Amino acid sequence: AKSTARSEETILPLSPLPSAVLRPARDRATRFLKRNPSALAEAALAEADPAAYAAMTRRTARTPNLGQLYGTWWHGFVERLHRTAAATDWDATFQSELASSPDLERSQREWALLRERLLNGSELAHILTTPGCIAQAEMPLLWAISDRECLDGIIDLSVFHPEKDGWYILDWKTNRVQPNKLDELRTHYLPQLSAYWKAASEMLRLPISVGLYSTATGEWLPYEIAELTS
């Protein structure tokens, strides 16, 4: 108790700022723009295909729809899965989450796809299950683009890989997509993943690899550096 009291005594109150400083600071804050990485894909679609963007906006306005509910459930499930240490416990983790799924059949099908990828030595398995890797789900990101703009979002999963002395950024996509439409999925979300890559590269100064995982197809879709910098 005495040490706590002594530490509290050493904390000095901040001096109040004069109004001449506060007024311009408040003015600058109102003009500071926050960019959401997830919205960048929608902005690109709005520019490239206004009709498709309008249709998507009408669909998402009916809240909450089954697709949105399922996406929320999937992200919550895999976040818990990352905290499960042993592969032998993965199925138990899934079963404990299944009852809360808005689409039981789809959850079972897509978990089977992911489970197979994690156990068959694929590139995705190497990223997520290599011993010594450090994974962080739902990692907040705040990056100053300029003195007037910042990138403000949440990365689904970031993984530090000691073998490459660098990071992987993974984004879960629960879009209902057919295998022959995966190129369109990659293209649609390129602005979002490019923003993640630029921000993480600038902040960490380490190699950064990014990609999407399509839950509907079980495919890991990495991006090339040339795509991300274009």
Side-chain angles (χ1 to χ4, degrees):
K2 290 183 179 179
S3 62
T4 302
R6 283 197 298 269
S7 64
E8 290 176 351
E9 290 172 1
T10 62
I11 301 174
L12 300 177
L14 296 175
S15 302
L17 292 174
S19 58
V21 174
L22 284 174
R23 277 197 301 271
R26 291 193 179 107
D27 180 61
R28 286 194 299 271
T30 61
R31 293 183 284 111
F32 197 80
L33 303 177
K34 287 188 176 182
R35 305 294 187 187
N36 187 316
S38 300
L40 296 176
E42 297 181 10
L45 177 62
E47 181 177 351
D49 192 339
Y53 175 74
M56 183 190 71
T57 302
R58 287 194 296 271
R59 288 195 302 271
T60 55
R62 304 170 195 146
T63 55
N65 64 44
L66 183 59
Q68 292 168 323
L69 291 173
Y70 183 79
T72 299
W73 175 85
W74 178 272
H75 281 75
F77 157 59
V78 290
E79 182 178 0
R80 184 176 175 193
L81 190 69
H82 299 318
R83 299 196 297 267
T84 304
T88 52
D89 297 328
W90 288 345
D91 286 321
T93 300
F94 172 72
Q95 290 300 327
S96 68
E97 296 291 314
L98 181 59
S100 62
S101 170
D103 191 331
L104 300 183
E105 182 179 347
R106 183 181 178 188
S107 296
Q108 292 169 325
R109 181 175 65 254
E110 295 187 356
W111 164 235
L113 289 173
L114 177 58
R115 187 180 187 279
E116 179 185 355
R117 295 299 185 273
L118 294 177
L119 294 175
N120 68 2
S122 64
E123 182 182 2
L124 183 65
H126 177 69
I127 294 170
L128 298 181
T129 63
T130 298
C133 290
I134 303 172
Q136 175 63 54
E138 302 295 314
M139 186 176 77
L141 170 70
L142 184 64
W143 175 58
I145 301 172
S146 67
D147 60 354
R148 290 195 58 199
E149 295 180 282
C150 70
L151 200 66
D152 184 14
I154 296 177
I155 296 174
D156 286 350
L157 180 66
S158 56
V159 182
F160 177 74
H161 230 268
E163 290 181 3
K164 66 174 289 185
D165 192 26
W167 291 81
Y168 286 92
I169 290 175
L170 183 150
D171 203 79
W172 305 104
K173 294 302 181 189
T174 57
N175 307 52
R176 287 186 178 272
V177 61
Q178 297 299 318
N180 63 344
K181 298 292 185 180
L182 288 175
D183 284 343
E184 295 179 14
L185 187 75
R186 288 181 78 259
T187 300
H188 178 70
Y189 287 108
L190 174 59
Q192 177 187 354
L193 273 295
S194 178
Y196 286 153
W197 179 82
K198 291 174 183 176
S201 298
E202 178 71 22
M203 291 189 296
L204 299 173
R205 304 292 181 177
L206 289 172
I208 308 292
S209 301
V210 302
L212 306 177
Y213 176 79
S214 167
T215 65
T217 64
E219 293 297 326
W220 164 244
L221 307 172
Y223 289 91
E224 301 294 332
I225 299 298
E227 295 177 280
L228 299 167
T229 56
S230 61

